[in-house]
Amino acid sequence: MKKILISLAVLALTATSVQAGPEEDRMAFINYYKGKFPSVPDNEYANGVYAIDPVGRENWEAIEEFPPYEPFIDAGQEMWEKPFANGKGYKDCFPKGPAIAHLYPHWDKEQKMVMTLPLALNHCREANGEKPLKYKKGSINNILSYIAFQSRGNRVDVKVPQDDPGAVAAYEDGKKFYFTRRGQLNFSCANCHLQNTGLKVRTEILSPTVGHVTHWPVYRSKWGTVGTLHRRFTGCNKNIRAKPMKAQGEQYRNLEYFLSYMSNGQELNGPGARK
Amino acid sequence: MIKQFRFLSVFVLAVTVIWLTGCSDKPSDDKKASESPPSKTEQMAPKASVSDEKPATTAIQKPAEYAADPVVVAAGKAIAVGRSQGNCLACHMMEDGASPGNIGPPLLAMKARYPDKAKLRAQIWDATAANPESAMVPFGRLKILTDDEIDKVVEYIWTL
């Protein structure tokens, strides 16, 4: 297993230095995709698979004319503005306003963990005596849609403080998850979204990892509704007959941390619409 | 599960019927294949003398070196294209199979490219043995398909 991990890492990370930090990793990803898709401009990756699939893109652009996620943004705005039973609201927890998606995920020094936006939203609720929302389906997607929409135009800007061993370890853990083969079908995320990006599994073209986090939550035709990034992780894990991890558990949060760093500099353009 | 079981029993039944009625005179694995010439002549001699027997014509139509058993090939094809079993189409173009992926190469001219059937079988049993980075599912090693199922898939793939 270790050997496979390392060999895949070598495939991806052409950095010559032994101690490849997050920035070297990111550059290796970018350069790898550049080699694969020389005509795709850097800022296109935020559009996911549509950056590299001209046929799917036409369909997608037609869908974006009447965005299927719009009602969820409206419902989310209501949530944002409606006070909790105790009279306080999200506004009190997040004084910077709703345009905050680019501030997540981040390393929380005090709690020594990767803090994601859904987790922060639920912490706010619980601190105010409200029940937490579910992390994959349901109304968490409404408020996330509103925040995503308000955050459009900001850029992914994840930091891994190198002087904090906890943060570095969380990043490395997420990276390891990404490169580890799992499930009965023996796939790593990298097998599909790095090694075989641009090729097809049946009719599905595999998207690049850079750009994976920019547009959540996503309205998926297959779901018939909007769903969270961790719901998507669950789906990709199930497809390879692997046991999915807990949404917002440590493993998926660390994975999100790594994945988000790979998208640094990309523009946030959520909510998104996908097949 | 039930479907698979039903399929299997139909298959077993079909094989038995064919075996009993004697319309398949072809050996089903490599070892027998190597001894097939003598057994074939042996079989054909009595058949030719018994006037009401029909298989003489089928025997003539089959290629001399090897003839795939159509029942085994059909079973192998069902496993190869089935989404819950081989699902080879997820990654490979095969004949006119619907919506094939292209992660792996098209499966074409296999007999010419894999004269050694054991090598073909090894690729399907565990592609990562030859290429540790292979994205191809190690069907045998991870027990996604049984040895018997892989044998049938090999028979089918070899006809492509």
Side-chain angles (χ1 to χ4, degrees):
Chain A
M1 180 49 72
K2 188 97 184 249
K3 208 172 136 206
I4 293 170
L5 245 171
I6 291 168
S7 50
L8 258 178
V10 169
L11 166 98
L13 313 173
T14 44
T16 42
S17 77
V18 185
Q19 261 243 278
E23 195 52 21
E24 285 82 3
D25 291 350
R26 190 179 74 84
M27 287 319 296
F29 269 64
I30 299 270
N31 289 332
Y32 172 82
Y33 291 127
K34 255 197 188 135
K36 229 174 179 167
F37 311 109
S39 63
V40 173
D42 287 354
N43 61 1
E44 264 293 320
Y45 285 93
N47 294 325
V49 72
Y50 306 120
I52 58 170
D53 171 16
V55 178
R57 188 180 184 110
E58 259 178 54
N59 250 319
W60 172 64
E61 282 173 350
I63 289 171
E64 285 281 350
E65 302 263 325
F66 303 96
Y69 46 74
E70 223 162 52
F72 302 92
I73 298 174
D74 297 343
Q77 181 167 14
E78 246 173 71
M79 278 172 87
W80 177 267
E81 271 153 21
K82 192 173 159 208
F84 300 134
N86 69 359
K88 298 210 164 158
Y90 291 108
K91 289 179 184 174
D92 300 291
C93 302
F94 304 98
K96 286 182 186 153
I100 49 174
H102 60 292
L103 305 176
Y104 298 88
H106 65 246
W107 178 250
D108 187 320
K109 251 188 163 49
E110 279 71 53
Q111 303 189 65
K112 296 197 188 327
M113 63 189 283
V114 172
M115 182 55 66
T116 62
L117 180 55
L119 203 61
L121 287 168
N122 266 348
H123 282 183
C124 168
R125 293 177 62 89
E126 287 174 301
N128 288 290
E130 298 284 319
K131 277 212 293 216
L133 303 172
K134 291 210 202 102
Y135 286 123
K136 288 190 289 190
K137 307 178 185 180
S139 60
I140 196 160
N141 287 292
N142 299 349
I143 188 138
L144 286 173
S145 295
Y146 176 61
I147 291 173
F149 189 67
Q150 292 294 322
S151 307
R152 278 188 178 186
N154 288 318
R155 284 174 192 277
V156 182
D157 182 21
V158 175
K159 297 187 179 74
V160 181
Q162 290 298 306
D163 57 351
D164 190 324
V168 173
Y171 172 87
E172 289 297 332
D173 184 57
K175 176 173 156 186
K176 188 167 153 208
F177 192 102
Y178 178 88
F179 281 106
T180 303
R181 290 186 186 239
R182 49 170 50 78
Q184 196 195 16
L185 300 187
N186 201 41
F187 282 104
S188 67
C189 313
N191 280 140
C192 288
H193 294 292
L194 190 66
Q195 186 186 30
N196 290 304
T197 305
L199 297 180
K200 283 190 281 189
V201 182
R202 293 273 179 177
T203 52
E204 293 265 16
I205 295 183
L206 293 164
S207 57
T209 290
V210 172
H212 261 177
V213 300
T214 56
H215 50 282
W216 296 88
V218 160
Y219 184 98
R220 265 190 100 192
S221 316
K222 192 183 155 199
W223 292 337
T225 186
V226 283
T228 60
L229 176 63
H230 289 210
R231 180 174 178 192
R232 182 73 235 206
F233 289 170
T234 306
C236 278
N237 272 168
K238 280 185 185 159
N239 283 345
I240 56 170
R241 303 185 195 165
K243 206 175 141 252
M245 309 294 159
K246 220 173 141 239
Q248 295 301 331
E250 189 177 10
Q251 281 161 304
Y252 276 177
R253 275 186 290 108
N254 290 349
L255 175 63
E256 181 178 338
Y257 195 39
F258 166 76
L259 222 50
S260 302
Y261 195 99
M262 292 305 107
S263 289
N264 263 358
Q266 293 291 324
E267 196 170 310
L268 289 173
N269 55 358
R274 295 287 185 270
K275 260 205 283 188
Chain B
M1 198 54 175
I2 290 172
K3 226 165 136 190
Q4 257 167 291
F5 190 76
R6 202 185 294 150
F7 177 76
L8 201 70
S9 42
V10 167
F11 172 73
V12 167
L13 200 74
V15 168
T16 317
V17 166
I18 287 161
W19 180 66
L20 284 175
T21 55
C23 53
S24 168
D25 58 346
K26 103 116 276 277
S28 60
D29 68 331
D30 298 33
K31 257 184 241 123
K32 278 194 223 142
S34 55
E35 22 174 281
S36 74
S39 73
K40 219 168 220 166
T41 41
E42 244 169 57
Q43 266 179 0
M44 278 168 77
K47 269 174 200 161
S49 63
V50 181
S51 57
D52 59 3
E53 276 284 49
K54 66 264 157 183
T57 45
T58 33
I60 287 161
Q61 281 165 358
K62 282 176 183 168
E65 11 71 77
Y66 178 85
D69 183 333
V71 174
V72 174
V73 169
K77 180 171 182 175
I79 295 163
V81 302
R83 278 181 194 249
S84 62
Q85 292 182 294
N87 201 11
C88 314
L89 282 170
C91 300
H92 294 283
M93 195 204 82
M94 299 188 305
E95 296 181 291
D96 54 353
S99 45
N102 60 2
I103 291 176
L107 299 181
L108 287 169
M110 298 314 286
K111 207 175 294 180
R113 290 167 49 217
Y114 285 82
D116 180 4
K117 214 194 267 182
K119 244 183 132 179
L120 179 59
R121 192 181 192 282
Q123 168 72 23
I124 299 170
W125 203 82
D126 181 7
T128 63
N131 168 15
E133 264 105 49
S134 178
M136 179 159 156
V137 178
F139 289 97
R141 178 163 65 81
L142 293 188
K143 301 189 165 58
I144 294 150
L145 297 177
T146 64
D147 279 352
D148 180 54
E149 285 168 335
I150 289 179
D151 286 338
K152 287 174 183 137
V153 169
V154 169
E155 291 301 321
Y156 166 59
I157 300 295
W158 222 47
T159 67
L160 297 179

